[in-house]
Each structure stands twice: as C-alpha cells, then as structure tokens.
Amino acid sequence: MGKAFSAVATWSGWLFFLAALATLAVLLPDSAFDKRNAHYWVALGSIGLWRYTLGAIHFVRAMIFLHYRFPKIRRQTAELQARGLPSAPVYLMVTSFRIDTTTSAAVYRSVIQEAMAWTGKATIVASIVEMADEQMIKMLWDRHAPPENVRLLIVRIPGTGKRDALAQGFRAISRDMPEDDALVAVIDGDTVLDPGVLSKTAPYFRTRPNMGALTTNEYCNVQGSYLMQEWHRLRFAQRNLNMCSMALSHRVLTLTGRMSMFRASIVTSPEFIRDVEFDHLDHWRLGRFRFLTGDDKSSWYSLMRLGWDTWYVPDASITTVEHPPDKNFVRASRKLMFRWYGNSLRQNQRATRLGWKRLGGFTWYVLLDQRISMWTSLLGISVALWGSLLYGPAMLMGYLLWIGCSRFVLTLLLAFSGHHIGPSFPTLLYYNQIVGSLTKIKVSFHLDQQSWTRQDTRLRRDLEPWQARFNRWSSPALLASSACIFAAVVVSVI
C-alpha cells in the first residue's frame, strides 16, 4: 500500500511540474523574443553554454567509466581472483561519537557480518568515546560469535573530535604490525555496509598497484522530511556521476569518511597520520588555523601530494543514516552546505598548487572551476533580474522557463546514475545552485569558521586582539567588495 501511494505521489508530482512548465510557456508574451532584446538572450545563452559544457563533459566521462572502463577492469580483476589467490588482511575501522543506539547497532552489526563473510583475516577496530558503545559492541560480538580469523580491537579515546579518533585508530593498527598487503576500511559511525562491499573493493588493490585508496557508492536513509530525503538522494545521485567522471582520471576528489579503503602501509605512516590529525592552512589574511572538519579532504590531499591514485567502485555500496541538524529544511541544508563547501574550499587552494602535472589537466581544471562556478552560477539569475527591470517581467519569465526545462533534462540524465529521481529534483537542483553558490561565496571569505553538526568542537586560535579584530572586519569587507564588482559585471553585460 505504501509503495502504491508513493508511486501515485511521484507521478502526480511530475504531472504538476510539467503542467507548471506548460502554463509558463503559454503565458510567456511574444515581447520576450523581440529583436531589441537579442543581446539579453545572447548573454544568458553564453553563460549557459559555458556552464553546461563542463556538465556535459562530466556526464560523457561518467558514462564511459560506468559502461566501458569499469566493467573492463572488473573483469580483469575477477579473472585474477579466479586463480585462487589468498585474500588480503583487512582492518575495518569504525569511528563513533554521539550516534543513537539504533543506528550504532545497525552499523556494527553490518561490520561484524561483513568481517565474518571475508575469507581472509579481518580485524574490527572500534574507535569510540563512550562506555555504552563498548558494551553494545561487545554484546553484538558475543551474539554473532565470529570465527577465529575475525578479531575485535577497541580503542577508547576522549571526545575531542573525529580527527583525533582517526589518528588513534591508525596508530592502533600500526602497533598491530599489519602485513604488507593489508587494507584498511575507514567507516563512519552512521554507515551501514551493504553485503559484499569488501569483496567488491579489496581485490582492486592487487590489479592497480599505484592506487592508494578508493571510495564507494552511497545511498541514504534520511531521518527527516520528504524534502530533506529527496535533497539527500539528489546529492548522492550527483555524487555518483561526478565520482565516475573523476575516476576515469584516477583522481576522485574526496575519499569520503563514510566508507573508503586504503592501503595499510599508507594509513600507518606517521606522515599520513600527521596530515589527518594536524592538518592546517596558512592563509595570507586569516593566518594559520587547524582544520576541525573535512578529514576526508585531508586524506585525499595527502595521497595526491604523495603521488598516489584514488579510485571509485560504483557497484560497491553503503547506506548512510542521515540525521538532519534542524527540522527546518532551509536551515538544515544551509548548515550542511556550510560544512561541506568549507571543507572543499579549504583544501582547494593548496590542492591546485600541486599543479596539473601531479593532478592531471582535467582534475586541475575541475578544482579551479570550483572557485569560479560559485560566481558564474549566479550570473544567470542576476542577469535575468536586471533584464526584467530594464525590459519587463517577460525576461524573468523566459529565464524561469529555461531553468525549468533545463533542470528537467538534468534530472532525467541523473537517472543514468542508477539512483532514484523524483519530481522535486528540478527545483532542488536550482535551489542547490543559488543557495549553494551564496554559501560558497560566504565560506570563501570565512575559511576559518568551521562547524560540526553532531558535536560542539570549536577552534581555539589564541589570536592577538588586533588579528582577531582584523579577521572579524576584513572578511565581510572583502565579501561586500567582491559583491559590488560582481554587480558591476552584471550591469555591464546587458
């Protein structure tokens, strides 16, 4: 009954969206296409052509990887495994802090079951803070009664942040003296492993000797409103396409903390542990500050700097249990975007300095585009609003019709990712474009401001009073100046 109702609601949503587009097309006056307004549409078309060209390149690359390159590598790996080679030792490290018991139990149950299904040695490393988590883990361990090839290692740490939890876990693995071919799966405390994820990921480290780490496909179980559920599903569908595109160059742009797998020789090296635990940025204006969030970006940057490849396995999946930080969709999405985009932008500037020779030309350009797109994504709506003031509301109506049609096509393309698509996706795509761009712009001038959505970990910098005042006033001043320059560009365009 629930599935039938959901199907009806989905089809009703699509019919409503298409009806709204048709109504807007009928109401659009002929004056919108007057020859005198030609330069307005040329300006909008030029902006759109620039932005959609990169999107089209990503889509084509993703399809090449998903339907040609990855299946070929998967076959080669399967042929190697068929020779009966022994499975590599695997460590499954889980970091947990302030996660509800139901979610934690589901996570550790899936980890124990996956370790038991692995044909080689498997060690579960639980990096935890609270005694209740330890008791729950031991209860699940006794209930499953794993075989001798599966071990449990509990690491108790103070609740000083995820970076410290990861570092302590890595050091515990290092003290265990892992074998040369050992692997480490880094798993977040709200990530449920889908069956077979180890067997679908670990073998690739044998066939790809320069691959330092890989990450997996993600689905989600959102404990929130319908809009928040669809917003997360949209994000993971986009993520899958982008990951496939970047994997074609062996350069995925993040090693998600939800579930990524590394060579043990990398995560146990003092240099890598130091990069994750004490990562920082030396900023020309804000000075030096440590990173509280974004451990996945730190691990990625460390591998790029050391010359390792990073990869993506689209048919190995996990399910994350998402708990939005606020019941209000707008507030929750803004908080999450502030954290996500802050992590990306803090790594972006120094990552591009590695150069195109180390990163590859396409990866280097994508990183550079992250800084440009936050402004260019606002050009369309800005030009449309200014054009409507100069030539009438028909300009804005035409722009909205274009947005509706183009986002509908983009949503249909997302279906090729293998993820669910819904009638709210076109609207949410545009919401992400505008609100996401505004958030990125704000973050780019306030890189030292960091926030967790689950724990109250704050950055204490002990700045001199003058430096603190300078940072407090210079950030909004530079933001306002940049906004004025952007407005001047918009006005000059039309």
Side-chain angles (χ1 to χ4, degrees), residues 54 139 231 334 389 424-425:
L54 181 59
M139 181 189 68
W231 186 68
R334 287 180 59 196
L389 291 175
S424 61
F425 275 27

Side-chain angles (χ1 to χ4, degrees), residues 310-337:
T310 55
W311 209 52
Y312 180 62
V313 183
D315 66 350
S317 60
I318 59 174
T319 301
T320 60
V321 182
E322 304 285 349
H323 296 87
D326 198 295
K327 292 183 179 180
N328 180 275
F329 169 75
V330 174
R331 287 197 299 266
S333 60
R334 287 180 59 196
K335 286 180 181 178
L336 291 169
M337 285 192 285

Side-chain angles (χ1 to χ4, degrees), residues 34-274:
D34 193 292
K35 291 182 179 180
R36 291 172 296 178
N37 304 332
H39 61 289
Y40 167 81
W41 295 112
V42 169
L44 276 181
S46 301
I47 296 167
L49 181 63
W50 178 16
R51 298 312 315 160
Y52 292 132
T53 297
L54 181 59
I57 292 173
H58 270 303
F59 180 78
V60 172
R61 285 171 56 91
M63 293 301 102
I64 293 174
F65 176 81
L66 197 58
H67 299 293
Y68 173 72
R69 181 63 175 161
F70 175 72
K72 182 179 179 181
I73 295 173
R74 182 173 54 193
R75 286 193 300 271
Q76 294 171 348
T77 304
E79 291 171 1
L80 181 64
Q81 288 297 105
R83 300 177 185 175
L85 297 176
S87 299
V90 172
Y91 292 84
L92 296 96
M93 192 180 82
V94 186
T95 56
S96 301
F97 182 56
R98 290 185 181 174
I99 297 174
D100 66 275
T101 305
T102 302
T103 300
S104 291
V107 169
Y108 280 99
R109 189 181 301 113
S110 72
V111 171
I112 294 172
Q113 291 172 348
E114 194 63 21
M116 292 172 64
W118 185 241
T119 55
K121 296 178 183 177
T123 303
I124 298 173
V125 182
S127 185
I128 58 176
V129 176
E130 296 158 333
M131 177 60 72
D133 285 337
E134 182 174 346
Q135 293 172 345
M136 181 267 297
I137 294 168
K138 289 181 176 178
M139 181 189 68
L140 290 172
W141 183 264
D142 292 338
R143 183 178 299 172
H144 285 82
E148 292 184 358
N149 67 308
V150 182
R151 297 185 300 149
L152 174 64
L153 178 61
I154 294 179
V155 181
R156 290 288 301 277
I157 64 166
T160 52
K162 186 180 176 183
R163 288 181 179 272
D164 291 338
L166 290 171
Q168 294 291 349
F170 293 152
R171 292 191 181 101
I173 295 172
S174 179
R175 290 191 294 269
D176 199 51
M177 303 295 290
E179 299 173 35
D180 292 340
D181 62 342
L183 306 172
V184 179
V186 180
I187 305 162
D188 213 350
D190 56 4
T191 300
V192 179
L193 303 184
D194 292 355
V197 69
L198 286 183
S199 62
K200 292 178 179 178
T201 52
Y204 292 107
F205 285 89
R206 277 207 172 103
T207 58
R208 309 184 70 75
N210 199 51
M211 184 178 69
L214 58 78
T215 192
T216 54
N217 201 351
E218 289 188 33
Y219 295 88
C220 59
N221 177 11
V222 183
Q223 308 297 310
S225 65
Y226 167 79
L227 203 57
M228 183 57 69
Q229 292 174 22
E230 293 297 284
W231 186 68
H232 275 84
R233 291 191 180 106
L234 168 63
R235 173 174 174 256
F236 288 130
Q238 291 179 299
R239 175 188 180 275
N240 188 34
L241 283 179
N242 287 332
M243 284 286 189
C244 287
S245 171
M246 301 310 301
L248 195 63
S249 302
H250 320 295
R251 291 288 186 274
V252 297
L253 293 183
T254 184
L255 294 168
T256 176
R258 299 300 181 88
M259 162 58 179
S260 293
M261 184 172 284
F262 299 77
R263 295 185 186 273
S265 58
I266 294 176
V267 302
T268 56
S269 67
E271 186 176 9
F272 180 85
I273 296 174
R274 186 170 56 252

Side-chain angles (χ1 to χ4, degrees), residues 307-449:
W308 289 96
D309 291 344
T310 55
W311 209 52
Y312 180 62
V313 183
D315 66 350
S317 60
I318 59 174
T319 301
T320 60
V321 182
E322 304 285 349
H323 296 87
D326 198 295
K327 292 183 179 180
N328 180 275
F329 169 75
V330 174
R331 287 197 299 266
S333 60
R334 287 180 59 196
K335 286 180 181 178
L336 291 169
M337 285 192 285
F338 187 87
R339 177 164 64 89
W340 296 336
Y341 297 151
N343 295 338
S344 296
L345 290 171
R346 277 185 285 274
Q347 293 292 348
N348 182 288
Q349 296 187 23
R350 63 180 187 174
T352 52
R353 293 195 202 107
L354 293 175
W356 63 270
K357 290 184 178 180
R358 173 62 60 85
L359 296 173
F362 184 74
T363 304
W364 183 84
Y365 177 76
V366 169
L367 287 170
L368 183 65
D369 185 72
Q370 287 180 353
R371 286 189 249 170
I372 300 172
S373 63
M374 69 180 80
W375 293 101
T376 57
S377 295
L378 296 175
L379 274 173
I381 182 62
S382 302
V383 169
L385 289 173
W386 181 242
S388 66
L389 291 175
L390 294 178
Y391 309 115
M395 302 296 101
L396 183 59
M397 290 178 63
Y399 172 75
L400 293 177
L401 180 61
W402 163 249
I403 288 298
C405 293
S406 60
R407 270 52 184 182
F408 176 66
V409 173
L410 291 176
T411 298
L412 295 181
L413 293 178
L414 285 175
F416 289 91
S417 70
H419 285 244
H420 158 89
I421 63 171
S424 61
F425 275 27
T427 304
L428 290 174
L429 277 169
Y430 192 62
Y431 173 84
N432 283 348
Q433 176 183 328
I434 302 304
V435 178
S437 295
L438 293 172
T439 303
K440 288 177 185 177
I441 290 171
K442 179 181 178 181
V443 169
S444 66
F445 292 95
H446 300 82
L447 291 175
D448 56 333
Q449 294 184 12

